[in-house]
Amino acid sequence: MPQNVFHDDALFARASLPHIRAISAYQPGKPITELAREFGLAVESIVKLASNENPLGMSPKAKAAIRAAVDGGERYPDPFDLTAALAARHGVATNQIVLGNGSNDVLDLVARAFLYRGRSAIAAQYAFAMYPIATLSAGGETIIAPAKDYGHDLAAMRAAMRADTHVIWIANPNNPTGAFLAAEALRAFLADAPEHVIVVLDEAYADYLDAGERYDAVRWIDDFPHLVVCRTFSKIYGMAGLRIGYGIAAAPVAELMNRVRQPFNCNSLALAGAIAALEDHDFLARSYASNRAGMAYIREGLEALGLRYIPARGNFIAFRAAEEGGTAAAIHQGLLRQGVIVRPLASYQMPEWLRVTIGAPAENTRFLEALGRAMQESGA
Ligand SMILES: *Cc1c(COP(=O)(O)O)cnc(C)c1O
């Protein structure tokens, strides 16, 4: 904290807003460069499996499109082409698409368009940390509904609904636990939720689902105009650093969200890359297959180490690295010392658990070896 800015805490309290002070800042996965500085490790020697990024990188077609878009960087971006491509892809009108600077931006737009002081939003225990942050930022109150098997308990969420509830946040699959809700349960929930309550279905990991589990929630918007479906280019598309995602909603809902959206919230490189990425089916198929194989390999490895994990959809898996009531901090540190970054879940009130992103084959092997060593060192 800088000295002598606010002369006492009371003045700072008076300057700031109580609902902003109540926010616990989002804790991102540790960047590779930060670990390199802290432990004096070479950047190339570090394996980062902490932020659910795509180990295959980005589509080569997206990269080429981004390089080409550098010329033209002096102009404000035109989101027309990506909006049209997404509308065509999902079979909706262009006025149903809301582009975001990452899908976190879309969550924020929902909060700003539909929440306010005196309104509440419901999120599930162990659900994505951005939901309470977006809710509080807009002045709303977050109601946390208890989880079932580390996933959303839709009955508990329905029961938690109050007269002032205006938004319901649902991640499917959920991050960080990987829990999944089947389409029928979601549809029944939507049918039961009052129409003035916006239901956000955050599908950041939908592209990793098995064919048998996939569903097309966008088709439900006609029946349920209070549904907002969120997608991102950060995960299977491998464009986390470019920051681009989107929401799909009924036109009047999308229109309100677009009113509070900054006009140029998506930059021209991300827009160009996303259009090309959408068409690179080969890259998506390779990413999917690599994730599937890596998930099976890591599950086997965790089982061989005698560790419990939550059966996960997505490109990550949460495993218990400490006894009930203990903390995974020692194992986490042991992994960091060996240059392997995973995600501790203490901030999700799951202190015994760590979450690892499915990496490339060599990264997965490195992770399991380092985990075995960290467990030995900690006497586990
Ligand atoms: C990663 C993730 C996102 C996507 O975030 P971006 O802002 O698009 O990078 C959204 N929701 C969940 C649950 C996630 O895990």
Side-chain angles (χ1 to χ4, degrees):
M1 271 288 276
Q3 293 294 303
N4 292 329
V5 178
F6 287 90
H7 290 84
D8 63 51
D9 292 348
L11 283 172
F12 180 67
R14 193 168 161 196
S16 55
L17 290 161
H19 63 276
I20 303 298
R21 288 201 306 272
I23 293 176
S24 327
Y26 183 78
Q27 293 178 14
K30 188 185 275 294
I32 289 175
T33 41
E34 187 181 306
L35 183 69
R37 287 193 299 272
E38 281 177 8
F39 287 77
L41 299 170
V43 163
E44 314 75 55
S45 74
I46 293 173
V47 167
K48 183 187 175 202
L49 300 172
S51 301
N52 301 344
E53 295 146 343
N54 188 335
L56 271 54
M58 195 193 297
S59 147
K61 291 184 175 141
K63 280 190 198 175
I66 290 165
R67 286 198 185 96
V70 169
D71 289 328
E74 70 281 8
R75 304 278 178 209
Y76 281 107
D78 180 359
F80 181 87
D81 287 344
L82 179 61
T83 306
L86 290 172
R89 164 63 54 94
H90 291 284
V92 297
T94 51
N95 63 0
Q96 293 186 256
I97 303 284
V98 181
L99 294 183
N101 193 278
S103 59
N104 279 324
D105 188 26
V106 180
L107 304 177
D108 228 33
L109 298 177
V110 170
R112 281 200 281 142
F114 297 101
L115 292 173
Y116 191 56
R117 202 169 150 181
R119 291 187 171 199
S120 65
I122 298 174
Q125 183 187 13
Y126 311 130
F128 189 41
M130 282 311 298
Y131 305 145
I133 295 177
T135 302
L136 277 166
S137 300
E141 180 191 341
T142 313
I143 302 169
I144 301 291
K148 189 168 77 187
D149 300 330
Y150 292 101
H152 296 65
D153 179 345
L154 292 177
M157 294 183 88
R158 183 69 185 84
M161 242 182 259
R162 300 191 313 219
D164 68 1
T165 299
H166 280 265
V167 172
I168 306 215
W169 306 106
I170 298 174
N172 201 41
N174 182 42
N175 172 23
T177 64
F180 177 71
L181 294 164
E184 303 74 52
L186 286 169
R187 263 195 79 96
F189 181 81
L190 280 162
D192 196 29
E195 207 167 286
H196 69 274
V197 178
I198 299 293
V199 179
V200 177
L201 194 53
D202 180 352
E203 299 189 333
Y205 302 98
D207 306 287
Y208 291 106
L209 290 174
D210 283 353
E213 286 180 332
R214 288 192 191 211
Y215 57 90
D216 186 359
V218 175
R219 299 279 72 76
W220 305 345
I221 293 172
D222 285 340
D223 289 337
F224 307 115
H226 53 323
L227 170 62
V228 177
V229 179
C230 293
R231 294 287 186 105
T232 182
F233 286 92
S234 296
K235 304 291 158 55
I236 204 166
Y237 288 95
M239 295 177 60
L242 274 288
R243 311 305 304 131
I244 184 123
Y246 58 101
I248 308 172
V253 171
E255 204 255 336
L256 288 179
M257 290 166 66
N258 274 321
R259 281 190 201 192
V260 292
R261 187 177 57 79
Q262 288 184 40
F264 305 113
N265 64 332
C266 301
N267 69 74
S268 45
L269 304 189
L271 291 168
I275 294 170
L278 268 182
E279 293 310 320
D280 196 344
H281 304 289
D282 174 60
F283 177 79
L284 292 178
R286 280 191 290 122
S287 300
Y288 179 84
S290 157
N291 186 67
R292 232 184 135 75
M295 178 71 90
Y297 178 78
I298 288 192
R299 283 169 77 135
E300 275 170 35
L302 293 172
E303 280 162 24
L305 289 168
L307 293 172
R308 189 181 149 204
Y309 57 80
I310 304 171
R313 272 64 163 207
N315 64 344
F316 56 89
I317 187 164
F319 62 96
R320 216 177 78 178
E323 291 303 313
E324 191 85 52
T327 163
I331 303 288
H332 180 227
Q333 280 302 315
L335 286 169
L336 288 178
R337 271 197 301 275
Q338 298 175 73
V340 175
I341 313 177
V342 299
R343 187 78 140 73
L345 298 183
S347 62
Y348 282 92
Q349 318 311 320
M350 295 171 68
E352 308 97 334
W353 298 78
L354 298 172
R355 188 198 69 192
V356 63
T357 301
I358 310 304
E363 294 175 319
N364 298 335
T365 302
R366 239 319 272 285
F367 158 70
L368 286 171
E369 284 171 4
L371 179 59
R373 220 169 291 133
M375 286 172 63
Q376 267 175 2
E377 284 165 11
S378 79

